[in-house]
Amino acid sequence: NQQFDPDPSKKTLVVLGTGWGSVSLLKKLDTENYNVIVVSPRNYFLFTPLLPSCTTGTIEHRSIMEPIRSFLRHKKAAVKYYEAECTKIDYEKKMIYINDESEIKGSTSATEVPFDMLVVGVGAENATFGIPGVREHGCFLKEVPDAQRIRKRIMDCVETATFKDQSPEEVKRLLHMVVVGGGPTGVEFAGELQDFFENDLRKWIPEISKNFHVTLVEALPNVLPMFSKNLIEYTEQTFKEETIDIRTKTMVKRVEETYIEAEYTDASGKKVLEKIPYGLLVWATGNALKPVVKDLMSQIPAQKDSRRGLAVNEYLVVKGTENIWAVGDCAIANYAPTAQVAAQEGAFLARLFNQMAKTNEIETELAELSNVQEKASSKPVRDEAFGKIKDLQKRLRRVKNIGPFEYSHQGSLAYIGSEKAVADISWLTGNLATGGQLTYFFWRSAYLSMCFSTRNRILVIMDWAKTQVFGRDVSRE
Ligand code: FAD
Ligand code: NAD
């Protein structure tokens, strides 16, 4: 209920983004120490690990969204939130430029916000590697509108395939669901889609049974490269049983409206370009830099050699700057771009900023006491000030003693369809690689426990129960 009332004696901390990195920072940050301003085009946090389940309606998207306003209002000191996209960061001027990119705009839809400290947590874009046609014809899977678009398109393909007098080739094409990228996003989506077909679509619309088909295309020799070898094999075997086609060592080169062109090497070692017709194309080939990040990097000479994101030091300070930090997918700190890393980085920054504020407080107090000590005419007053200074110096050493960021890997989890999951879990003694139905229950409980709020947790449980009892909804909207 408090009003945002900037205190000129405090530094202005601007946080870009409301994803894993920024929200984890905001959760733990003592907002009383700074004038905190959050800028993000998305006024909610999204629990991305369950986003693939939203493409088929296993989970409804609102169940994994948490409004940013609902959690910011519980902070000790008010935080200002602007629903806008940061279009430029001017490092020299300590200014960001923001645009309201939403449908409804007021007479002002572009302005600037000055900062003393800036945290960049804007995430990443979908990589297309400049392959022609991807943006025009493919669907990405990063945000809620992507999942909604895919859900609608699956049903559109199915209904169009069953249109009167549709030719057999066209039916085959429309029911061919192609996923490009065998990373966890592509694998989880392929698994969810096959589940949708097996559990619901084939019951509701039996005439599509013969032709509905999912193909996963991957340029490397295997899928899920970050998992243990036996889990890769287990995933590939499970996909085979689920009748999902895996086309490894196949690189997509071009995308047209109704087919992709993919290159593979045949048995004689010759490179072959194959046309693969599709009805739905989901493109999941990883991350690329956001323009606003690229632009910031171009302003800082120390970022010259960084290609994949903002190079940061061990305290997550953007190299070449003093007052800009970066977290999550837009930062390069030698870890994989995952939610786990982003969340730990955000929590680390919150601790760092809380400590920095305490340090400032103690240093001001120390300066005042030194003054008292110098000016005091009586010995007892001087001695008392001296004693307090000693105590404060001890506290200061303790507070300043914050170590660098260290990532602690808890493990990797992925759903692979037909109620099976794979998990590479880190234990004190080593690594546990496991796959199957039991792992699937572990996957469910792990993600449930990680959900942002109790409200999210209850909604997800209700969605799972609803899917179990009534099946997934096949309405196209
Ligand atoms: P994000 O969470 O992407 O947040 C970026 C934020 O910045 C958003 O709020 C966005 O609106 C905002 N933003 C964008 N542009 C601007 C701008 N110009 N100005 C201001 N704000 C901006 N990781 C795991 O560890 N486990 C998983 O199971 C897992 N599953 C995943 C499933 C899917 C489908 C996807 C796509 C990713 C998954 N990941 C998973 C990866 C994980 O989601 C990312 O690594 C994580 O979201 C990165 O966090 P972030 O804060 O850097 O960015
Ligand atoms: P990714 O980078 O992990 O995988 C992309 C895959 O696409 C690569 O294997 C690459 O070889 C392939 N590829 C690239 N270009 C291609 C082309 N032209 N043709 C065919 N294949 C091509 O991407 P992702 O799956 O989107 O994941 C992004 C990040 O998010 C990763 O760090 C991942 O760990 C994380 N994530 C984690 C989970 C999980 O833990 N369950 C789920 C989703 C995403």
Side-chain angles (χ1 to χ4, degrees):
N1 290 331
Q2 330 102 311
Q3 287 288 316
F4 178 70
D5 187 13
D7 176 346
S9 71
K10 290 179 186 166
K11 286 189 172 167
T12 298
L13 167 64
V14 174
V15 179
L16 301 183
T18 46
W20 278 97
S22 302
V23 164
S24 159
L25 156 71
L26 290 164
K27 247 179 159 177
K28 298 221 158 80
L29 182 74
D30 184 347
T31 52
E32 278 182 321
N33 297 324
Y34 303 94
N35 300 312
V36 184
I37 298 174
V38 180
V39 174
S40 175
R42 202 174 79 186
N43 78 346
Y44 56 89
F45 167 76
L46 176 67
F47 188 76
T48 47
L50 292 177
L51 189 63
S53 302
C54 299
T55 58
T56 57
T58 311
I59 290 176
E60 295 297 336
H61 58 270
R62 285 198 180 265
S63 306
I64 56 165
M65 291 158 65
E66 185 68 21
I68 193 79
R69 305 273 187 187
S70 86
F71 103 88
L72 285 183
R73 82 196 161 100
H74 296 299
K75 297 303 292 183
K76 262 203 235 155
V79 172
K80 188 79 208 168
Y81 167 69
Y82 297 123
E83 191 191 71
E85 195 167 311
C86 170
T87 51
K88 187 175 173 66
I89 299 165
D90 192 323
Y91 161 59
E92 293 284 339
K93 283 193 190 150
K94 293 190 185 174
M95 189 77 79
I96 62 159
Y97 299 86
I98 64 170
N99 268 11
D100 176 0
E101 300 285 356
S102 67
E103 225 168 280
I104 295 174
K105 292 183 179 60
S107 53
T108 304
S109 61
T111 186
E112 52 193 46
V113 180
F115 65 85
D116 298 309
M117 296 158 74
L118 177 72
V119 175
V120 188
V122 296
E125 289 233 316
N126 293 289
T128 65
F129 307 101
I131 295 169
V134 176
R135 284 194 192 282
E136 294 84 337
H137 310 300
C139 295
F140 297 117
L141 180 50
K142 210 172 211 357
E143 299 285 347
V144 165
D146 298 333
Q148 286 174 300
R149 188 163 172 237
I150 293 172
R151 189 171 174 184
K152 201 165 165 175
R153 282 210 177 184
I154 298 168
M155 284 323 297
D156 204 354
C157 283
V158 168
E159 297 297 0
T160 308
T162 53
F163 190 72
K164 186 168 181 291
D165 302 332
Q166 203 66 272
S167 74
E169 298 91 82
E170 196 61 350
V171 170
K172 229 173 159 179
R173 175 185 76 80
L174 286 162
L175 295 175
H176 190 201
M177 312 279 145
V178 174
V179 185
V180 181
T185 305
V187 165
E188 290 192 321
F189 170 67
E192 291 278 356
L193 184 53
Q194 188 66 25
D195 281 0
F196 186 25
F197 170 65
E198 289 297 341
N199 303 340
D200 306 289
L201 287 174
R202 72 182 320 154
K203 284 184 208 148
W204 294 83
I205 316 153
E207 69 248 53
I208 67 164
S209 294
K210 221 172 67 212
N211 290 305
F212 191 95
H213 193 62
V214 181
T215 300
L216 181 66
V217 183
E218 167 56 54
L220 297 175
N222 55 264
V223 297
L224 294 182
M226 66 289 292
F227 280 82
S228 315
K229 197 166 167 280
N230 58 336
L231 292 183
I232 292 172
E233 280 162 12
Y234 180 75
T235 305
E236 292 182 347
Q237 183 56 34
T238 305
F239 270 24
K240 213 182 213 173
E241 286 159 19
E242 287 170 2
T243 67
I244 298 173
D245 235 352
I246 302 187
R247 298 280 307 265
T248 48
K249 296 189 201 159
T250 306
M251 167 89 85
V252 177
K253 296 274 186 178
R254 199 157 71 95
V255 175
E256 290 291 338
E257 198 182 347
T258 53
Y259 64 89
I260 55 170
E261 266 182 14
E263 191 182 81
Y264 68 95
T265 310
D266 72 6
S268 64
K270 214 176 81 199
K271 286 207 164 20
V272 182
L273 205 58
E274 182 188 354
K275 279 186 182 165
I276 306 174
Y278 70 84
L280 171 80
L281 176 72
V282 171
W283 192 267
T285 62
N287 291 346
L289 277 180
K290 280 207 173 262
V292 68
V293 173
K294 214 187 261 180
D295 177 74
L296 175 62
M297 287 164 69
S298 71
Q299 298 169 43
I300 305 166
Q303 295 287 330
K304 185 170 84 326
D305 297 327
S306 186
R307 293 277 165 276
R308 289 172 302 121
L310 287 161
V312 293
N313 71 10
E314 68 275 32
Y315 287 88
L316 307 180
V317 178
V318 172
K319 285 186 182 163
T321 77
E322 279 160 10
N323 55 346
I324 305 183
W325 290 258
V327 287
D329 286 2
C330 65
I332 298 302
N334 288 335
Y335 307 112
T338 65
Q340 226 184 122
V341 171
Q344 289 184 29
E345 288 177 341
F348 169 81
L349 274 196
R351 264 199 326 275
L352 186 75
F353 292 165
N354 293 344
Q355 301 282 57
M356 277 163 62
K358 263 192 219 147
T359 308
N360 282 347
E361 208 177 277
I362 297 173
E363 278 172 350
T364 315
E365 232 179 294
L366 269 174
E368 278 164 13
L369 278 170
S370 303
N371 213 11
V372 169
Q373 196 194 18
E374 251 172 50
K375 293 196 176 134
S377 47
S378 77
K379 192 168 177 303
V381 175
R382 265 204 311 275
D383 286 351
E384 194 192 338
F386 181 72
K388 279 187 185 160
I389 287 174
K390 280 261 159 214
D391 285 349
L392 278 178
Q393 279 172 339
K394 237 191 256 166
R395 250 183 77 199
L396 187 63
R397 270 198 298 276
R398 251 200 334 266
V399 165
K400 269 191 163 172
N401 195 16
I402 180 163
F405 172 70
E406 270 174 41
Y407 170 61
S408 139
H409 186 62
Q410 308 295 307
S412 305
L413 278 169
Y415 180 61
I416 58 170
S418 61
E419 303 200 340
K420 287 179 184 156
V422 287
D424 257 327
I425 303 157
S426 310
W427 293 105
L428 286 176
T429 47
N431 194 55
L432 176 73
T434 153
Q437 218 143 25
L438 216 60
T439 315
Y440 166 67
F441 292 116
F442 173 71
W443 174 87
R444 272 198 165 186
S445 52
Y447 282 159
L448 207 54
S449 72
M450 282 179 228
C451 275
F452 188 90
S453 61
T454 310
R455 187 187 71 94
N456 282 162
R457 229 162 270 140
I458 291 170
L459 290 175
V460 167
I461 292 173
M462 278 164 41
D463 287 345
W464 279 336
K466 198 175 68 185
T467 300
Q468 199 72 38
V469 177
F470 302 110
R472 296 164 185 85
D473 185 353
V474 298
S475 327
R476 184 177 70 84
E477 244 343 302

